[in-house]
Amino acid sequence: MAENKTLGDFYQSVTSKEPSVRLECFSALENLLSDSETSVDCDDLPGFINGLIKWIEGSNFRIATNGLRTLELLLDRLGSDEFGHYVEQVTSATVDRLGDAKDQVREAASNLLIKLMTTYTPQRIWDLIQPLAFDSKQFRIKEESQRVLIRSLEEFGASTIQLSKLVPLISKLISDSNGAVRQQAVDTLVEIYRHVGEKVRSDIAKRDIPEAKLKQLYEKFDDVIASGRMIAKASDATDDARPKPTTTRSRLNSDSSTTSTRSRPSGGVPARSAAPVSAVSSPNNPRARSSSSISRPYASTLFTTGAVASGAVDEAIFEEAFKSSPAIS
């Protein structure tokens, strides 16, 4: 019975080179580690863990999956201090299995890496993953490590990882020779954008990304904002946070706004504006002259400068009023 065993009782089976022995002992070992009341004492714990790492590194995908699962359970039972001596070795072997052809092996590897991040810190584990993953010769490792990063963001948040170190590496994968890696790089950058905001747009603009791909990324970023899927603060995701291209229309609008601002003194005096042509009577405009009245010239004072509006009479207005006045017989 598993409850009567200790971890040390499985030592010979774990370190055995026989695939059948490894496969046979897994069920009982899993039961032992899943029960918090059982003992995890082992006279040679380093040798035991090394034996499990050999399971991971082997060619048998079932044994590799069992080894990853066993290490995940063992991490829970041993705790961070005791397991900490093996973190680098375990992480390295686990990253290598991200490139496995079997989905269940890749999933088990991803689960163990997330468990390591939960037990220690995401940044500590990513410092170990980074040099092994993004420059790997195996396309599946490059692809799957990006999926692990997305899981990390979802579970721990962007503030727990130094994304500024990872974005340049992922930007480089936009031009990878493998199509799956390229597409995953696009998806990963979009996910990082959701969590971080406009800083990502500014960062990738500095990278050697083909113009067509850069445009595609910008469009996907805009789609994220439009769909309301942003996780970053709104102030980081608005158009005000990013530089806008200068166009003729924007310059004209800017000039118009500036002129309007200058034409309004702080004292609240109305700005000067030209009177409508139909409102001014003149010898060359009989229609306007016939429709004008004695009081009409004074209406033009509504469009005069501040001095006229204050009570002074402009010379042109005086002459216009004089000409419009009826003759007195």
Side-chain angles (χ1 to χ4, degrees), residues 206-220:
K206 307 171 189 175
R207 309 301 167 190
D208 188 20
I209 299 177
E211 185 176 350
K213 285 289 186 180
L214 194 61
K215 181 181 178 182
Q216 180 189 9
L217 281 166
Y218 287 168
E219 289 173 351
K220 287 182 176 291

Side-chain angles (χ1 to χ4, degrees), residues 75-91:
L75 175 55
D76 270 337
R77 295 297 306 277
L78 292 180
S80 59
D81 290 341
E82 197 166 2
F83 197 91
H85 304 291
Y86 316 103
V87 170
E88 291 187 21
Q89 190 177 2
V90 169
T91 301

Side-chain angles (χ1 to χ4, degrees), residues 139-212:
F139 79 90
R140 283 197 180 93
I141 292 180
K142 291 184 284 190
E143 181 185 9
E144 200 66 33
S145 62
Q146 293 181 81
R147 293 196 176 109
V148 174
L149 177 57
I150 291 176
R151 283 190 63 183
S152 304
L153 291 172
E154 292 172 346
E155 298 202 23
F156 309 111
S159 62
T160 64
I161 307 169
Q162 286 183 304
L163 293 170
S164 59
K165 297 169 63 176
L166 300 180
V167 168
L169 300 175
I170 298 170
S171 298
K172 184 179 178 181
L173 296 180
I174 291 286
S175 301
D176 192 84
S177 59
N178 183 273
V181 174
R182 293 196 301 270
Q183 182 57 51
Q184 187 59 54
V186 171
D187 295 342
T188 304
L189 286 174
V190 171
E191 191 64 24
I192 293 174
Y193 177 80
R194 287 184 63 228
H195 287 263
V196 177
E198 289 300 320
K199 293 178 182 178
V200 179
R201 194 188 298 259
S202 301
D203 194 327
I204 65 173
K206 307 171 189 175
R207 309 301 167 190
D208 188 20
I209 299 177
E211 185 176 350

Side-chain angles (χ1 to χ4, degrees), residues 24-287:
E24 185 179 353
C25 78
F26 171 69
S27 180
L29 180 57
E30 183 180 32
N31 290 335
L32 174 95
L33 293 173
S34 299
D35 185 355
S36 60
E37 300 299 323
T38 56
S39 171
V40 289
D41 290 337
C42 181
D43 293 337
D44 185 9
L45 185 59
F48 189 94
I49 292 179
N50 284 334
L52 290 174
I53 289 175
K54 291 185 182 300
W55 284 25
I56 296 175
E57 295 173 340
S59 59
N60 187 306
F61 79 93
R62 290 189 179 88
I63 294 176
T65 303
N66 292 346
L68 291 163
R69 174 60 179 161
T70 302
L71 283 169
E72 186 180 350
L73 292 170
L74 188 59
L75 175 55
D76 270 337
R77 295 297 306 277
L78 292 180
S80 59
D81 290 341
E82 197 166 2
F83 197 91
H85 304 291
Y86 316 103
V87 170
E88 291 187 21
Q89 190 177 2
V90 169
T91 301
S92 177
T94 304
V95 169
D96 189 62
R97 295 324 296 240
L98 289 176
D100 198 276
K102 297 288 185 179
D103 292 343
Q104 56 264 53
V105 177
R106 298 198 302 272
E107 182 179 359
S110 177
N111 290 340
L112 178 53
L113 290 172
I114 294 297
K115 174 65 74 174
L116 288 165
M117 294 180 200
T118 303
T119 305
Y120 301 98
T121 65
Q123 186 57 53
R124 177 178 176 182
I125 303 305
W126 272 108
D127 284 341
L128 299 174
I129 296 174
Q130 177 186 326
L132 303 171
F134 299 108
D135 290 328
S136 174
K137 294 181 179 179
Q138 295 188 48
F139 79 90
R140 283 197 180 93
I141 292 180
K142 291 184 284 190
E143 181 185 9
E144 200 66 33
S145 62
Q146 293 181 81
R147 293 196 176 109
V148 174
L149 177 57
I150 291 176
R151 283 190 63 183
S152 304
L153 291 172
E154 292 172 346
E155 298 202 23
F156 309 111
S159 62
T160 64
I161 307 169
Q162 286 183 304
L163 293 170
S164 59
K165 297 169 63 176
L166 300 180
V167 168
L169 300 175
I170 298 170
S171 298
K172 184 179 178 181
L173 296 180
I174 291 286
S175 301
D176 192 84
S177 59
N178 183 273
V181 174
R182 293 196 301 270
Q183 182 57 51
Q184 187 59 54
V186 171
D187 295 342
T188 304
L189 286 174
V190 171
E191 191 64 24
I192 293 174
Y193 177 80
R194 287 184 63 228
H195 287 263
V196 177
E198 289 300 320
K199 293 178 182 178
V200 179
R201 194 188 298 259
S202 301
D203 194 327
I204 65 173
K206 307 171 189 175
R207 309 301 167 190
D208 188 20
I209 299 177
E211 185 176 350
K213 285 289 186 180
L214 194 61
K215 181 181 178 182
Q216 180 189 9
L217 281 166
Y218 287 168
E219 289 173 351
K220 287 182 176 291
F221 292 169
D222 293 339
D223 288 343
V224 169
I225 297 175
S227 64
R229 294 185 290 120
M230 287 296 295
I231 296 175
K233 294 180 181 180
S235 59
D236 292 333
T238 58
D239 288 341
D240 293 337
R242 57 179 131 147
K244 297 181 181 179
T246 302
T247 61
T248 303
R249 182 180 294 275
S250 65
R251 286 197 300 269
L252 288 175
N253 290 339
S254 176
D255 293 343
S256 175
S257 175
T258 304
T259 304
S260 176
T261 303
R262 290 175 180 172
S263 66
R264 289 180 174 84
S266 59
V269 180
R272 184 170 186 168
S273 176
V277 174
S278 61
V280 179
S281 61
S282 67
N284 297 323
N285 190 354
R287 181 180 178 184

